[in-house]
Coordinates of all heavy atoms in Angstrom, one line a residue:
M375 N 76.3 73.1 108.8 CA 77.6 73.8 108.6 C 78.0 74.3 110.0 O 77.3 74.9 110.7 CB 77.3 75.0 107.6 CG 78.6 75.8 107.4 SD 78.2 77.0 106.2 CE 79.7 77.8 106.1
S376 N 79.3 74.1 110.3 CA 79.8 74.5 111.6 C 80.3 75.9 111.4 O 80.8 76.3 110.4 CB 80.8 73.5 112.1 OG 82.0 73.6 111.2
T377 N 80.3 76.6 112.5 CA 80.9 78.0 112.5 C 82.0 78.0 113.5 O 82.0 77.4 114.6 CB 79.8 79.0 113.0 OG1 79.3 78.7 114.2 CG2 78.7 79.1 112.0
N378 N 83.1 78.6 113.1 CA 84.3 78.7 113.9 C 84.4 80.2 114.3 O 84.1 81.1 113.5 CB 85.6 78.4 113.1 CG 85.6 76.9 112.8 OD1 85.1 76.1 113.5 ND2 86.2 76.6 111.7
T379 N 84.7 80.4 115.6 CA 85.0 81.8 116.0 C 86.4 82.0 116.2 O 87.2 81.1 116.7 CB 84.2 82.0 117.4 OG1 84.7 81.0 118.3 CG2 82.7 81.9 117.2
F380 N 86.9 83.1 115.7 CA 88.3 83.4 115.8 C 88.6 84.3 117.0 O 87.7 85.1 117.3 CB 88.8 84.1 114.5 CG 88.7 83.3 113.2 CD1 87.9 83.7 112.2 CD2 89.5 82.2 113.1 CE1 87.9 82.9 111.0 CE2 89.5 81.4 112.0 CZ 88.7 81.8 110.9
S381 N 89.7 84.2 117.5 CA 90.1 85.2 118.6 C 90.2 86.6 117.9 O 90.4 86.7 116.7 CB 91.4 84.8 119.2 OG 92.5 85.0 118.3
K382 N 90.2 87.6 118.7 CA 90.3 89.0 118.2 C 91.6 89.2 117.5 O 91.7 89.8 116.5 CB 90.1 90.0 119.4 CG 88.7 90.0 119.9 CD 87.8 90.6 118.9 CE 86.4 90.7 119.4 NZ 85.4 91.1 118.5
E383 N 92.7 88.5 118.1 CA 94.0 88.7 117.4 C 94.0 88.0 116.1 O 94.5 88.6 115.1 CB 95.1 88.0 118.3 CG 96.5 88.1 117.7 CD 97.5 87.4 118.5 OE1 97.2 86.9 119.7 OE2 98.6 87.3 118.0
T384 N 93.5 86.8 116.0 CA 93.4 86.1 114.7 C 92.6 86.9 113.7 O 93.0 87.1 112.5 CB 92.9 84.7 114.9 OG1 93.7 84.0 115.8 CG2 92.8 84.0 113.5
E385 N 91.5 87.4 114.1 CA 90.6 88.2 113.2 C 91.3 89.4 112.7 O 91.3 89.7 111.6 CB 89.3 88.5 114.0 CG 88.3 89.2 113.1 CD 87.0 89.4 113.9 OE1 86.6 88.5 114.7 OE2 86.4 90.4 113.7
S386 N 92.0 90.1 113.6 CA 92.8 91.3 113.3 C 93.9 91.0 112.3 O 94.1 91.7 111.3 CB 93.4 91.9 114.5 OG 94.2 93.0 114.2
R387 N 94.6 89.8 112.5 CA 95.7 89.5 111.6 C 95.1 89.1 110.2 O 95.7 89.4 109.2 CB 96.4 88.3 112.2 CG 97.2 88.8 113.4 CD 97.9 87.6 114.1 NE 99.0 87.2 113.3 CZ 99.7 86.1 113.6 NH1 99.5 85.4 114.7 NH2 100.7 85.7 112.9
L388 N 94.0 88.4 110.2 CA 93.4 88.1 108.9 C 93.0 89.3 108.1 O 93.2 89.5 106.9 CB 92.2 87.2 109.1 CG 92.5 85.7 109.3 CD1 91.2 85.0 109.8 CD2 93.1 85.0 108.1
I389 N 92.4 90.3 108.8 CA 91.9 91.5 108.2 C 93.2 92.3 107.7 O 93.2 92.8 106.5 CB 91.1 92.4 109.2 CG1 89.8 91.8 109.5 CG2 91.0 93.8 108.7 CD1 89.0 92.4 110.6
D390 N 94.2 92.3 108.5 CA 95.4 93.0 108.0 C 96.0 92.3 106.8 O 96.5 93.0 105.9 CB 96.5 93.0 109.1 CG 96.2 94.0 110.3 OD1 95.3 94.9 110.0 OD2 96.8 93.9 111.3
F391 N 96.0 91.0 106.8 CA 96.6 90.2 105.7 C 95.8 90.6 104.4 O 96.4 90.9 103.4 CB 96.5 88.7 106.0 CG 97.0 87.9 104.8 CD1 98.3 87.7 104.5 CD2 96.0 87.3 104.0 CE1 98.7 87.0 103.4 CE2 96.4 86.5 102.9 CZ 97.8 86.4 102.6
F392 N 94.5 90.5 104.5 CA 93.7 90.7 103.3 C 93.7 92.2 102.9 O 93.5 92.5 101.7 CB 92.3 90.1 103.4 CG 92.3 88.6 103.3 CD1 92.0 87.9 104.4 CD2 92.6 88.0 102.1 CE1 92.0 86.5 104.3 CE2 92.6 86.6 102.0 CZ 92.3 85.9 103.1
N393 N 93.8 93.1 103.8 CA 93.8 94.5 103.4 C 95.1 95.0 102.9 O 95.1 96.0 102.1 CB 93.3 95.3 104.7 CG 91.8 95.2 104.9 OD1 91.1 94.9 104.0 ND2 91.4 95.5 106.1
H394 N 96.2 94.4 103.4 CA 97.5 95.0 103.0 C 98.3 94.2 102.0 O 99.3 94.6 101.5 CB 98.3 95.2 104.3 CG 97.7 96.2 105.2 ND1 97.5 97.5 105.0 CD2 97.1 96.0 106.4 CE1 96.9 98.1 106.0 NE2 96.6 97.2 106.9
T395 N 97.9 93.0 101.8 CA 98.7 92.1 100.9 C 98.4 92.5 99.4 O 99.3 92.8 98.7 CB 98.3 90.6 101.1 OG1 98.5 90.3 102.4 CG2 99.1 89.7 100.2
M396 N 97.1 92.5 99.1 CA 96.8 92.9 97.7 C 95.3 93.2 97.7 O 94.6 92.8 98.6 CB 97.2 91.9 96.7 CG 96.5 90.5 96.9 SD 96.9 89.3 95.6 CE 98.6 89.0 95.9
A397 N 94.8 93.7 96.6 CA 93.3 94.0 96.5 C 92.6 92.6 96.5 O 93.1 91.6 96.0 CB 93.1 94.7 95.2
P398 N 91.4 92.6 97.1 CA 90.6 91.4 97.1 C 90.4 90.8 95.7 O 90.4 89.5 95.6 CB 89.3 91.8 97.7 CG 89.6 93.0 98.5 CD 90.7 93.7 97.8
E399 N 90.2 91.6 94.7 CA 89.9 91.1 93.4 C 91.2 90.3 92.9 O 91.1 89.3 92.2 CB 89.6 92.2 92.4 CG 88.3 92.9 92.7 CD 88.4 93.9 93.8 OE1 89.5 94.3 94.2 OE2 87.3 94.4 94.3
D400 N 92.4 90.9 93.2 CA 93.6 90.3 92.7 C 93.9 89.0 93.5 O 94.3 88.0 92.9 CB 94.8 91.2 92.9 CG 94.7 92.4 92.0 OD1 94.1 92.3 90.9 OD2 95.3 93.5 92.4
M401 N 93.6 89.0 94.8 CA 93.7 87.8 95.6 C 92.8 86.7 95.1 O 93.2 85.5 95.0 CB 93.4 88.1 97.1 CG 93.5 86.9 98.0 SD 95.2 86.3 98.3 CE 95.7 87.5 99.5
A402 N 91.6 87.0 94.8 CA 90.6 86.0 94.2 C 91.2 85.5 92.9 O 91.1 84.3 92.7 CB 89.3 86.7 94.0
K403 N 91.7 86.3 92.1 CA 92.3 85.9 90.8 C 93.4 84.9 91.0 O 93.5 83.8 90.4 CB 92.8 87.1 90.0 CG 93.3 86.7 88.6 CD 93.9 87.9 87.9 CE 92.9 88.5 87.0 NZ 93.4 89.6 86.2
V404 N 94.3 85.2 92.0 CA 95.4 84.3 92.3 C 94.9 82.9 92.8 O 95.4 81.9 92.4 CB 96.4 84.9 93.3 CG1 97.4 83.9 93.8 CG2 97.1 86.1 92.7
I405 N 93.9 83.0 93.7 CA 93.4 81.8 94.3 C 92.7 80.9 93.2 O 92.9 79.7 93.1 CB 92.3 82.1 95.4 CG1 93.0 82.6 96.6 CG2 91.5 80.8 95.7 CD1 92.0 83.2 97.6
R406 N 92.0 81.5 92.3 CA 91.4 80.8 91.2 C 92.5 80.1 90.3 O 92.3 79.0 89.8 CB 90.5 81.7 90.3 CG 89.2 82.0 91.1 CD 88.3 82.9 90.2 NE 87.0 83.1 90.9 CZ 86.7 84.3 91.5 NH1 87.6 85.3 91.4 NH2 85.6 84.4 92.1
K407 N 93.5 80.9 90.0 CA 94.6 80.3 89.1 C 95.3 79.1 89.8 O 95.6 78.1 89.2 CB 95.7 81.4 88.8 CG 95.2 82.4 87.8 CD 96.3 83.4 87.5 CE 95.8 84.4 86.4 NZ 96.9 85.4 86.1
V408 N 95.6 79.3 91.1 CA 96.2 78.2 91.9 C 95.3 77.0 91.9 O 95.7 75.8 91.7 CB 96.6 78.7 93.3 CG1 97.0 77.5 94.2 CG2 97.7 79.7 93.3
N409 N 94.0 77.2 92.2 CA 93.1 76.1 92.2 C 93.0 75.4 90.9 O 93.0 74.2 90.8 CB 91.7 76.7 92.6 CG 90.8 75.7 93.3 OD1 91.3 74.7 93.8 ND2 89.5 75.9 93.4
Y410 N 93.0 76.1 89.8 CA 92.9 75.5 88.4 C 94.2 74.7 88.2 O 94.1 73.6 87.7 CB 92.8 76.7 87.4 CG 92.9 76.2 86.0 CD1 91.8 75.5 85.4 CD2 94.0 76.4 85.2 CE1 91.8 75.1 84.1 CE2 94.1 76.0 83.9 CZ 93.0 75.3 83.3 OH 93.0 74.9 82.1
T411 N 95.3 75.3 88.5 CA 96.6 74.6 88.3 C 96.7 73.3 89.1 O 97.1 72.2 88.6 CB 97.8 75.5 88.7 OG1 97.7 76.7 87.9 CG2 99.1 74.8 88.4
M412 N 96.2 73.3 90.4 CA 96.2 72.1 91.2 C 95.3 71.1 90.6 O 95.6 69.9 90.6 CB 95.8 72.5 92.6 CG 96.9 73.2 93.4 SD 96.6 73.3 95.2 CE 94.9 73.8 95.3
A413 N 94.1 71.5 90.2 CA 93.1 70.6 89.6 C 93.7 69.9 88.4 O 93.6 68.7 88.2 CB 91.8 71.3 89.2
L414 N 94.4 70.6 87.5 CA 95.0 70.0 86.3 C 96.1 69.0 86.7 O 96.1 67.9 86.2 CB 95.7 71.1 85.5 CG 94.8 71.9 84.6 CD1 95.6 72.9 83.8 CD2 94.1 71.0 83.6
G415 N 96.9 69.3 87.7 CA 97.9 68.4 88.2 C 97.3 67.1 88.8 O 97.8 66.0 88.5
V416 N 96.2 67.2 89.5 CA 95.6 66.1 90.1 C 95.0 65.2 89.0 O 95.1 64.0 89.0 CB 94.5 66.5 91.1 CG1 93.6 65.3 91.5 CG2 95.1 67.0 92.4
M417 N 94.3 65.9 88.0 CA 93.7 65.1 86.9 C 94.7 64.4 86.1 O 94.5 63.3 85.6 CB 92.8 66.0 86.0 CG 91.6 66.5 86.7 SD 90.4 67.4 85.6 CE 91.4 68.8 85.2
R418 N 95.9 65.0 85.9 CA 96.9 64.4 85.1 C 97.6 63.2 85.8 O 98.0 62.2 85.2 CB 98.0 65.4 84.7 CG 97.5 66.3 83.6 CD 98.5 67.4 83.2 NE 97.9 68.3 82.2 CZ 98.4 69.5 82.0 NH1 99.4 70.0 82.7 NH2 97.8 70.2 81.1
E419 N 97.6 63.3 87.1 CA 98.3 62.3 88.0 C 97.4 61.1 88.1 O 97.8 60.0 88.0 CB 98.6 62.9 89.3 CG 99.4 61.9 90.2 CD 99.7 62.6 91.5 OE1 100.2 63.7 91.5 OE2 99.5 61.9 92.6
K420 N 96.1 61.3 88.4 CA 95.2 60.2 88.6 C 93.8 60.5 88.0 O 93.4 61.6 87.9 CB 95.0 60.0 90.1 CG 96.2 59.6 90.8 CD 95.9 59.4 92.3 CE 97.3 59.0 93.0 NZ 97.1 58.4 94.3
E421 N 93.2 59.4 87.5 CA 91.9 59.6 86.9 C 90.8 60.0 87.9 O 89.9 60.8 87.7 CB 91.5 58.3 86.1 CG 92.1 58.2 84.8 CD 91.6 57.0 84.0 OE1 90.4 56.7 84.2 OE2 92.3 56.5 83.2
T422 N 90.9 59.3 89.1 CA 89.9 59.6 90.1 C 90.6 60.4 91.2 O 91.7 60.0 91.7 CB 89.3 58.3 90.7 OG1 90.4 57.5 91.2 CG2 88.5 57.5 89.7
P423 N 90.0 61.5 91.6 CA 90.6 62.3 92.7 C 90.8 61.6 94.0 O 90.0 60.7 94.3 CB 89.6 63.5 92.8 CG 88.7 63.4 91.7 CD 88.7 62.0 91.1
Q424 N 91.7 62.0 94.7 CA 92.0 61.4 96.1 C 90.9 61.9 97.0 O 90.2 62.9 96.7 CB 93.3 61.9 96.6 CG 94.5 61.5 95.7 CD 95.7 62.3 96.1 OE1 95.7 63.3 96.7 NE2 96.9 61.8 95.6
N425 N 90.7 61.1 98.1 CA 89.6 61.5 99.0 C 89.8 62.9 99.6 O 90.9 63.3 100.0 CB 89.7 60.5 100.2 CG 89.1 59.1 99.8 OD1 88.5 59.0 98.8 ND2 89.5 58.1 100.6
G426 N 88.7 63.6 99.6 CA 88.7 64.9 100.2 C 89.2 66.0 99.3 O 89.1 67.2 99.6
I427 N 89.9 65.7 98.1 CA 90.4 66.8 97.3 C 89.4 67.7 96.7 O 89.6 68.8 96.5 CB 91.4 66.2 96.2 CG1 92.3 67.3 95.7 CG2 90.7 65.6 95.1 CD1 93.7 67.1 95.9
E428 N 88.2 67.1 96.5 CA 87.1 67.9 95.9 C 86.7 69.0 96.9 O 86.4 70.1 96.5 CB 85.8 67.0 95.6 CG 86.0 66.0 94.6 CD 86.4 64.6 95.2 OE1 86.6 64.5 96.4 OE2 86.3 63.6 94.4
N429 N 86.7 68.7 98.2 CA 86.4 69.7 99.2 C 87.4 70.8 99.2 O 87.1 71.9 99.4 CB 86.3 69.0 100.6 CG 85.1 68.2 100.8 OD1 84.1 68.4 100.1 ND2 85.2 67.2 101.7
N430 N 88.7 70.5 99.0 CA 89.7 71.5 99.0 C 89.5 72.5 97.8 O 89.6 73.7 98.0 CB 91.1 70.9 98.9 CG 91.4 70.0 100.0 OD1 90.9 70.1 101.1 ND2 92.3 69.1 99.8
F431 N 89.2 71.9 96.7 CA 88.9 72.8 95.5 C 87.6 73.6 95.8 O 87.6 74.8 95.5 CB 88.7 72.0 94.2 CG 89.9 71.3 93.8 CD1 89.9 70.0 93.4 CD2 91.2 71.9 93.8 CE1 91.0 69.3 93.0 CE2 92.3 71.3 93.4 CZ 92.2 69.9 93.0
Y432 N 86.6 73.0 96.4 CA 85.4 73.7 96.7 C 85.6 74.9 97.6 O 85.2 76.0 97.4 CB 84.4 72.8 97.3 CG 83.1 73.5 97.8 CD1 82.1 73.9 96.9 CD2 83.0 73.8 99.1 CE1 81.0 74.5 97.4 CE2 81.9 74.5 99.6 CZ 80.9 74.8 98.7 OH 79.8 75.5 99.2
W433 N 86.4 74.7 98.7 CA 86.6 75.7 99.7 C 87.5 76.8 99.2 O 87.4 78.0 99.5 CB 87.1 75.1 101.0 CG 86.0 74.4 101.7 CD1 85.9 73.1 101.9 CD2 84.8 75.0 102.2 NE1 84.7 72.8 102.6 CE2 84.0 73.9 102.7 CE3 84.2 76.2 102.3 CZ2 82.7 74.1 103.3 CZ3 83.0 76.5 102.8 CH2 82.3 75.4 103.4
L434 N 88.5 76.5 98.3 CA 89.3 77.5 97.7 C 88.4 78.4 96.8 O 88.6 79.6 96.8 CB 90.4 76.9 96.9 CG 91.7 76.5 97.7 CD1 92.7 75.8 96.9 CD2 92.3 77.7 98.4
N435 N 87.5 77.8 96.1 CA 86.6 78.6 95.2 C 85.7 79.4 96.1 O 85.4 80.6 95.7 CB 85.8 77.7 94.3 CG 86.6 77.3 93.1 OD1 87.4 78.1 92.6 ND2 86.3 76.1 92.5
E436 N 85.2 78.9 97.2 CA 84.4 79.7 98.1 C 85.1 80.9 98.6 O 84.6 82.0 98.7 CB 83.9 78.8 99.3 CG 82.8 77.9 98.9 CD 81.5 78.6 98.5 OE1 81.0 79.5 99.3 OE2 81.0 78.3 97.4
L437 N 86.4 80.7 99.0 CA 87.2 81.9 99.5 C 87.3 82.9 98.4 O 87.2 84.1 98.6 CB 88.6 81.4 99.9 CG 89.5 82.5 100.4 CD1 89.0 83.3 101.5 CD2 90.9 81.9 100.8
A438 N 87.6 82.5 97.1 CA 87.7 83.4 96.0 C 86.4 84.1 95.8 O 86.4 85.3 95.5 CB 88.1 82.7 94.8
E439 N 85.3 83.5 95.9 CA 84.0 84.1 95.8 C 83.7 85.1 96.8 O 83.1 86.2 96.6 CB 82.9 83.0 95.8 CG 82.7 82.3 94.5 CD 82.4 83.2 93.3 OE1 81.4 83.9 93.4 OE2 83.2 83.3 92.4
I440 N 84.2 84.9 98.1 CA 84.0 85.8 99.2 C 84.8 87.1 98.9 O 84.3 88.2 99.1 CB 84.4 85.2 100.5 CG1 83.4 84.1 100.9 CG2 84.5 86.3 101.6 CD1 83.8 83.3 102.1
L441 N 86.0 86.9 98.4 CA 86.9 88.1 98.1 C 86.4 88.9 96.9 O 86.5 90.1 96.8 CB 88.3 87.6 97.8 CG 89.0 87.0 99.0 CD1 90.3 86.3 98.6 CD2 89.2 88.0 100.1
N442 N 85.9 88.1 95.9 CA 85.4 88.8 94.6 C 84.3 87.9 94.0 O 84.6 87.0 93.3 CB 86.6 89.0 93.7 CG 86.2 89.7 92.4 OD1 85.2 90.4 92.3 ND2 86.9 89.5 91.3
P443 N 83.1 88.3 94.2 CA 82.0 87.5 93.8 C 81.9 87.5 92.2 O 81.2 88.3 91.6 CB 80.7 88.1 94.4 CG 81.2 89.1 95.3 CD 82.6 89.4 95.0
Y444 N 82.6 86.6 91.6 CA 82.7 86.5 90.2 C 81.6 85.6 89.6 O 81.2 85.8 88.5 CB 84.1 85.9 89.9 CG 84.4 85.7 88.4 CD1 84.7 86.7 87.6 CD2 84.4 84.4 87.9 CE1 84.9 86.5 86.2 CE2 84.6 84.2 86.5 CZ 84.9 85.3 85.7 OH 85.2 85.0 84.4
L445 N 81.3 84.6 90.3 CA 80.3 83.6 89.8 C 78.8 83.9 90.1 O 78.0 83.2 89.7 CB 80.6 82.2 90.3 CG 82.0 81.6 89.9 CD1 82.3 80.3 90.6 CD2 82.1 81.5 88.4
E446 N 78.6 85.0 90.9 CA 77.3 85.3 91.3 C 76.5 85.8 90.1 O 77.0 86.7 89.3 CB 77.3 86.5 92.3 CG 76.9 86.0 93.7 CD 76.9 87.2 94.7 OE1 76.7 88.4 94.3 OE2 77.1 86.9 95.8
V447 N 75.3 85.3 89.9 CA 74.5 85.7 88.8 C 73.4 86.7 89.3 O 72.7 86.3 90.3 CB 73.8 84.5 88.1 CG1 72.9 85.0 87.0 CG2 74.9 83.6 87.5
E448 N 73.3 87.8 88.8 CA 72.2 88.8 89.3 C 71.2 88.9 88.2 O 71.3 88.9 87.1 CB 72.9 90.1 89.6 CG 73.8 90.0 90.8 CD 74.3 91.3 91.2 OE1 73.7 92.4 90.9 OE2 75.4 91.4 91.8

């Protein structure tokens, strides 16, 4: 897994975005809804997903999990 380092400005802007836009739980809920809607659209359009689309769904779900760990089993 590669790691990306953000500039201080980018990091600050991301923190501001996630802190002031909406609560992390609400942001995670929106991301999950969008991901679900896109997945339905892709499945209806084609039987087999386009190259790389699985990765997009995976990373959107990962972002939602970071914001609000919904799928974590304790």
Side-chain angles (χ1 to χ4, degrees):
M375 179 176 180
S376 67
T377 58
N378 294 328
T379 55
F380 295 118
S381 69
K382 291 292 180 187
E383 179 185 351
T384 302
E385 190 174 321
S386 174
R387 291 173 73 186
L388 282 170
I389 289 169
D390 287 345
F391 175 79
F392 284 113
N393 285 339
H394 300 292
T395 303
M396 62 178 64
E399 296 82 11
D400 294 335
M401 178 71 80
K403 184 185 263 187
V404 168
I405 290 169
R406 288 183 178 105
K407 284 182 180 180
V408 168
N409 208 18
Y410 175 75
T411 304
M412 287 190 316
L414 280 178
V416 168
M417 286 188 298
R418 288 180 180 156
E419 186 178 312
K420 298 184 179 192
E421 281 186 28
T422 55
Q424 299 164 344
N425 288 342
I427 197 120
E428 297 97 347
N429 288 335
N430 297 338
F431 295 133
Y432 172 80
W433 288 113
L434 278 174
N435 278 329
E436 283 294 307
L437 177 57
E439 282 299 301
I440 290 168
L441 294 171
N442 181 22
Y444 177 77
L445 299 174
E446 251 181 29
V447 177
E448 293 186 20

